[in-house]
Amino acid sequence: MFALFWTTVLFSLSGSNTYTVASALGRPFCSNGFCITLNEGQITAEAGLCVVLPCSFTTADEFTPKNIVWFKCESWKRKCGDSDIIFRTNPNKIQPEFLGRVLLLDPDVSQRNCSIMINDLTTSDSGSYRLRVNGLQNGRTDGFMFTSKTIVSVKALNQKPKVMIPPLTEGQQATLTCTAPGSCSGSPPNITWMWERKYEIDEINIPGNITASLKTENLSAVTQRHSSTLTFNPSAKHHKMNLTCLVSVSDNIATEETVTSNVTLFSKILKGSGCVLHTEVLSCVCISEGSPLPSITWPLLKYHTEYSIFNTVSNHTVNSTLTVTNPGNISVECISSNKNWAVKENLAVYQHLLEEVNHVKQSGSGYKVLPWVVAGVSLSVNVFCMIYIWHLWNTQKKVKPTEDDKTYMSLQKPDTSSEYDVIVQRPH
């Protein structure tokens, strides 16, 4: 019974301690009919987690065990006193720093199982631990202090949480899981999810509906697993973002693990795609986004042989530039596709700006000019005139007439214009 119970406990704790089942119990050490079996060698554990001190004992036939007492005392001491008590069946005179942190794995002392678990470890828990068994011998109260010791060494927390991230697809709800290291029954850790730049998810507007919840699962009577789940709807803004799970086991002990979210994005054609026709050359650009990276095709090309294509890639965006000579029919379609999705769009074709202006001059009011073309031309003319007049005004200010320098200004009105030109003449 004891062997089966102990094997189960050790397997459940194998992720939080460095010792193994094979080395958990050593050889029994006997004295005056009392025998104790402890761990051989040093037990190594990590701060913030827990440690199990495996232990079993037997007593003389005339001795009936009633309760056990564990001490943490200096290795050089021959005897441990009341001030060194860390656990006893009757919770009296226990060191305050161990109160509530030590658990007897089997409360039935008659089973001779003296194994304990110490939760919420700190580096100050390193040291030597000894056992005393109290009971009745021949009807009288008595006890036996074992001289064998268990040595515990508590190191800094090294283990990291385990983050499970499923395949992420744009627009499809996903749940991520972060499991805290260890399987202790002590204080539950605080688990926090953070996006890159260390922002907590509840302190920044991250795109998508996000919820986080903490879960505690009982693995056995003395072990637990603590985890947190994060549920959200992935989008393009989540793609390639760093996501950190921070596990705080105390005010000054924490560990974290960072993963990069890889979101499958449906291919889409972005704003800014379009074509410009200049004389007999058609130039088009198609901008597409997706993950995996989409490929762009131009159905127009099956009717032409004189063309060139230039593609550039930035993150999960593809920019495809097409140039076609003598395009003829200028209906242009762009198709973007990846393994998840395909989308096509008919691109608007605009004539080159200068050609639009010339066409306006030739056709007069009977030609319907695009509003943005008229606005652009008007703005360009006004800006040019303002710059030209400003330049002339500055030039005029710099010319200072003197008696020797017979500079004069005259105003002339050209026959073909209603505007005046300012002319500055200087005699040679």
Side-chain angles (χ1 to χ4, degrees):
M1 178 67 180
F2 168 71
L4 177 61
F5 173 81
W6 179 240
T7 301
T8 303
V9 171
L10 285 180
F11 270 117
S12 66
L13 290 171
S14 59
S16 61
N17 297 284
T18 57
Y19 57 83
T20 63
V21 174
S23 62
L25 292 174
R27 297 169 297 176
F29 180 82
C30 300
S31 176
N32 299 326
F34 288 82
C35 297
I36 187 170
T37 305
L38 298 170
N39 179 81
E40 285 188 343
Q42 179 176 275
I43 299 176
T44 302
E46 295 185 10
L49 302 183
C50 58
V51 66
V52 168
L53 277 56
C55 171
S56 66
F57 68 93
T58 59
T59 63
D61 293 339
E62 64 276 10
F63 186 88
T64 303
K66 292 298 183 181
N67 60 73
I68 63 174
V69 182
W70 274 95
F71 300 84
K72 178 180 181 290
C73 52
E74 300 296 338
S75 58
W76 49 265
K77 283 187 176 181
R78 294 188 60 185
K79 292 184 178 180
C80 298
D82 290 346
S83 61
D84 300 316
I85 296 175
I86 67 164
F87 175 84
R88 65 190 304 168
T89 307
N90 182 12
N92 292 326
K93 301 180 180 178
I94 296 177
Q95 293 185 43
E97 61 269 26
F98 283 93
L99 194 61
R101 291 202 295 130
V102 185
L103 173 68
L104 184 64
L105 298 188
D106 189 352
D108 187 357
V109 180
S110 65
Q111 298 297 319
R112 271 68 173 179
N113 179 9
C114 46
S115 303
I116 58 172
M117 174 189 288
I118 305 176
N119 288 298
D120 304 329
L121 288 172
T122 65
T123 54
S124 62
D125 292 331
S126 298
S128 301
Y129 292 81
R130 295 175 62 182
L131 175 72
R132 175 183 174 87
V133 178
N134 294 325
L136 299 174
Q137 184 159 348
N138 297 322
R140 294 179 302 174
T141 301
D142 201 351
F144 184 85
M145 183 78 169
F146 294 95
T147 57
S148 296
K149 305 177 181 66
T150 289
I151 308 299
V152 176
S153 177
V154 181
K155 307 295 184 181
L157 180 58
N158 238 359
Q159 297 183 53
K160 295 182 178 295
K162 295 180 180 179
V163 179
M164 301 296 293
I165 179 168
L168 303 178
T169 302
E170 180 181 12
Q172 297 182 10
Q173 189 179 81
T175 299
L176 284 62
T177 302
C178 176
T179 304
S183 53
C184 308
S185 57
S187 304
N190 182 33
I191 303 178
T192 304
W193 293 89
M194 299 180 295
W195 294 102
E196 56 187 338
R197 299 192 185 93
K198 306 295 183 183
Y199 291 135
E200 294 188 17
I201 61 171
D202 56 353
E203 293 181 356
I204 186 172
N205 294 323
I206 296 294
N209 296 323
I210 296 180
T211 58
S213 60
L214 185 65
K215 177 183 178 182
T216 298
E217 179 184 1
N218 293 321
L219 302 178
S220 70
V222 294
T223 57
Q224 295 176 329
R225 178 186 293 131
H226 304 284
S227 61
S228 175
T229 57
L230 180 70
T231 302
F232 71 112
N233 293 322
S235 68
K237 294 183 179 180
H238 294 104
H239 186 55
K240 297 301 181 183
M241 288 187 70
N242 290 331
L243 182 62
T244 299
C245 176
L246 175 67
V247 177
S248 301
V249 293
S250 68
D251 292 338
N252 57 354
I253 302 176
T255 181
E256 65 181 46
E257 178 68 15
T258 299
V259 296
T260 301
S261 59
N262 188 16
V263 182
T264 297
L265 305 175
F266 298 119
S267 59
K268 57 180 68 71
I269 296 176
L270 306 180
K271 293 181 179 179
S273 301
C275 299
V276 174
L277 179 63
H278 186 189
T279 60
E280 296 300 322
V281 178
L282 176 68
S283 297
C284 298
V285 60
C286 183
I287 308 170
S288 179
E289 177 186 68
S291 177
L293 203 65
S295 60
I296 295 178
T297 56
W298 302 89
L300 170 72
L301 298 182
K302 63 183 179 181
Y303 305 110
H304 296 275
T305 57
E306 298 181 17
Y307 63 86
S308 63
I309 299 175
F310 181 71
N311 294 329
T312 58
V313 176
S314 175
N315 295 328
H316 47 277
T317 303
V318 179
N319 188 317
S320 182
T321 303
L322 168 69
T323 303
V324 181
T325 305
N326 300 318
N329 183 6
I330 57 175
S331 176
V332 182
E333 187 178 66
C334 169
I335 298 179
S336 172
S337 61
N338 57 12
K339 69 176 184 179
N340 305 289
W341 192 256
V343 63
K344 61 183 179 180
E345 183 173 323
N346 290 320
L347 302 183
V349 179
Y350 300 99
Q351 285 189 322
H352 192 269
L353 179 62
L354 293 179
E355 294 180 1
E356 292 279 359
V357 175
N358 291 334
H359 195 77
V360 171
K361 291 181 179 179
Q362 294 173 5
S363 60
S365 60
Y367 183 78
K368 294 183 179 180
V369 184
L370 293 175
W372 64 268
V373 175
V374 177
V377 173
S378 176
L379 178 61
S380 300
V381 171
N382 289 334
V383 171
F384 175 78
C385 291
M386 292 176 64
I387 295 175
Y388 182 71
I389 294 173
W390 176 82
H391 173 72
L392 290 179
W393 183 76
N394 277 328
T395 304
Q396 180 180 356
K397 286 180 64 179
K398 292 180 180 179
V399 177
K400 296 182 179 180
T402 62
E403 294 182 358
D404 296 332
D405 184 10
K406 297 180 180 180
T407 301
Y408 64 96
M409 293 180 291
S410 64
L411 300 177
Q412 295 182 350
K413 183 177 181 181
D415 295 336
T416 59
S417 173
S418 61
E419 296 179 353
Y420 287 88
D421 295 329
V422 179
I423 302 174
V424 180
Q425 298 180 343
R426 183 184 302 272
H428 298 287

